[in-house]
Amino acid sequence: MKVGDRHYHTIWLNDDGRSVDIIDQRWLPHEFRVATLKTVDDVATAIRDMWVRGAPLIGVTAAYGVAIAMQSDPSDAALDVAWEQLHETRPTAINLRWALDAMRNGLRAVPVAERAVDAYRRAAAILLEDIELNRAIGANGVDVIRRIAAGKRPGEPVNILTHCNAGWLATVDYGTATAPIYMAAEEGIKVHVYVDETRPRNQGAQLTAWEMHGHGVPHTLIVDNAGGHLMQHGGIDMVIVGTDRTTADGDVCNKIGTYLKALAAKDNGVPFYVALPSPTIDWTVHDGVREIPIEERSSDEVSFVQGQATDGAIVTVRISPAGSPAANPAFDVTPARLITGLITERGIAEASPQGLKALFPERS
């Protein structure tokens, strides 16, 4: 996607051929900064502290973290250490483990002397695959938007509610939930996106709104709890969100608050779609509520907010009484029964074991 007049991915190999550059998302939307990750420690910090975020991008970044580690020490022992160090950074997003497993399993078969070069090749392949997966998700998801648009009165937009940021900033390019939206807009389909602010980190307000503005997509920022009200009054035609882990039975783990949007959508007959690349499916898990580990993040994310002061400075301020404790579960699980469809690179699946296996028969 473009930032100003320049096309960017969220991560790319530095000119030195060893380190990687990333868009440091901590400073958006007020400042656009690029950070260079030179060591596996840098990569672990960037993932854990959310310089990069979004399940697909976390996976790609981790793959490059393994490649960077192999530059210093390509031994089996170092490979295992890098896997463990990067794996523990974010426990919920399954793409992290998928990418790390792909790197370690592949590199085990490569002679030690060739591993450093081969690791960068494998990481680049994972990056390119992510772009193509998201492009395909967009092509499949735009069909849903076309069908809804066909039933609207002339000139009326398709009103779409999204939650958190499942945009290009959460992937390498295109995004998952946003890919169909971008493709619809490029086709000339009138769309309007209601962007949930997505407390506590405000990824909707800070990232999705920034993306929509930069891409010229009409949008309106709303508080998290306004979605149900808009659905009750016919203001939402569909909901589309991303996911950090989807079970083999079709349950979806996504940013906290997604479950409440799905309940409101079900109660009001609003289609609720989830966009995901296949590496986000955890085929070893069936009951998302009981089996998926939910990351508990720092209470500071709840008690403090970051924003831009009137003088232009980026500041952090406390919004709760000093001494008041806060809990911060980062994700919740939306049961399959509340989901209209899972938009994947192979098509749209029913959120069920049968629906997923129909698209991915090799998993049967």
Side-chain angles (χ1 to χ4, degrees):
M1 307 302 288
K2 282 190 173 181
V3 179
D5 294 329
R6 178 177 170 184
H7 180 271
Y8 277 91
H9 290 158
T10 50
I11 183 170
W12 61 96
L13 191 63
N14 186 277
D15 290 341
D16 65 14
R18 297 169 58 96
S19 53
V20 291
D21 290 340
I22 59 164
I23 297 174
D24 188 343
Q25 298 182 33
R26 295 173 300 167
W27 306 101
L28 293 173
H30 308 298
E31 290 186 12
F32 182 83
R33 298 188 186 183
V34 173
T36 300
L37 310 179
K38 298 181 179 180
T39 68
V40 68
D41 290 342
D42 291 343
V43 174
T45 297
I47 296 172
R48 182 181 58 250
D49 295 348
M50 296 180 73
W51 304 16
V52 295
R53 21 74 50 210
L57 179 55
I58 288 171
V60 173
T61 306
Y64 274 107
V66 172
I68 290 171
M70 293 297 92
Q71 282 282 348
S72 302
D73 182 353
S75 68
D76 285 351
L79 183 58
D80 288 340
V81 168
W83 191 100
E84 293 291 347
Q85 181 180 0
L86 293 166
H87 183 255
E88 69 182 10
T89 56
R90 298 291 304 272
T92 301
I94 194 62
N95 300 62
L96 174 62
R97 191 181 74 198
W98 171 83
L100 289 172
D101 284 347
M103 292 293 290
R104 182 166 68 175
N105 294 342
L107 290 171
R108 286 283 196 210
V110 176
V112 171
E114 301 172 14
R115 280 185 183 172
V117 171
D118 192 70
Y120 281 94
R121 180 188 63 78
R122 291 177 185 274
I126 290 173
L127 180 150
L128 292 173
E129 180 185 33
D130 183 70
I131 296 172
E132 292 309 311
L133 290 175
N134 294 325
R135 193 199 314 270
I137 287 169
N140 291 324
V142 75
D143 284 340
V144 177
I145 300 176
R146 286 194 199 106
R147 289 198 299 269
I148 295 174
K152 303 284 287 187
R153 289 196 295 261
E156 281 188 337
V158 177
N159 289 301
I160 303 169
L161 174 67
T162 190
H163 186 67
C164 196
N165 174 258
W168 72 273
L169 288 169
T171 66
V172 178
D173 210 342
Y174 289 98
T176 55
T178 60
I181 297 171
Y182 291 138
M183 290 187 179
E186 288 166 2
E187 280 188 19
I189 300 172
K190 291 194 70 172
V191 295
H192 174 266
V193 180
Y194 281 102
V195 179
D196 271 356
E197 60 186 351
T198 322
R199 283 281 295 149
R201 288 189 64 94
N202 293 312
Q203 293 105 317
Q206 295 182 341
L207 304 178
T208 303
W210 182 77
E211 283 193 34
M212 294 290 137
H213 177 73
H215 204 70
V217 176
H219 63 284
T220 301
L221 177 65
I222 59 172
V223 299
D224 283 356
N225 292 329
H229 166 76
L230 291 172
M231 292 183 207
Q232 285 180 324
H233 291 271
I236 304 296
D237 295 305
M238 65 178 293
V239 181
I240 181 168
V241 300
T243 172
D244 289 79
R245 189 186 303 209
T246 297
T247 73
D249 288 8
D251 296 341
V252 165
C253 183
N254 193 47
K255 177 67 179 180
I256 193 76
T258 303
Y259 174 46
L260 297 180
K261 300 302 178 297
L263 286 171
K266 187 73 170 181
D267 191 51
N268 289 280
V270 175
F272 185 95
Y273 287 92
V274 181
L276 65 144
S278 55
T280 306
I281 304 170
D282 187 344
W283 298 98
T284 69
V285 169
H286 297 273
D287 187 331
V289 174
R290 290 173 176 81
E291 296 182 69
I292 296 177
I294 300 299
E295 179 180 359
E296 180 77 26
R297 294 187 60 81
S298 170
S299 62
D300 284 353
E301 293 181 353
V302 177
S303 301
F304 295 84
V305 295
Q306 177 178 286
Q308 188 172 42
T310 54
D311 64 0
I314 296 178
V315 297
T316 299
V317 298
R318 175 181 281 278
I319 60 171
S320 62
S324 289
N328 187 15
F331 304 91
D332 60 23
V333 174
T334 299
R337 68 179 183 274
L338 301 177
I339 299 168
T340 306
L342 303 172
I343 306 172
T344 78
E345 72 272 13
R346 294 190 185 178
I348 301 177
E350 176 187 277
S352 68
Q354 298 77 17
L356 284 168
K357 287 179 181 178
L359 285 186
F360 300 94
E362 69 274 18
R363 295 291 181 172
S364 299

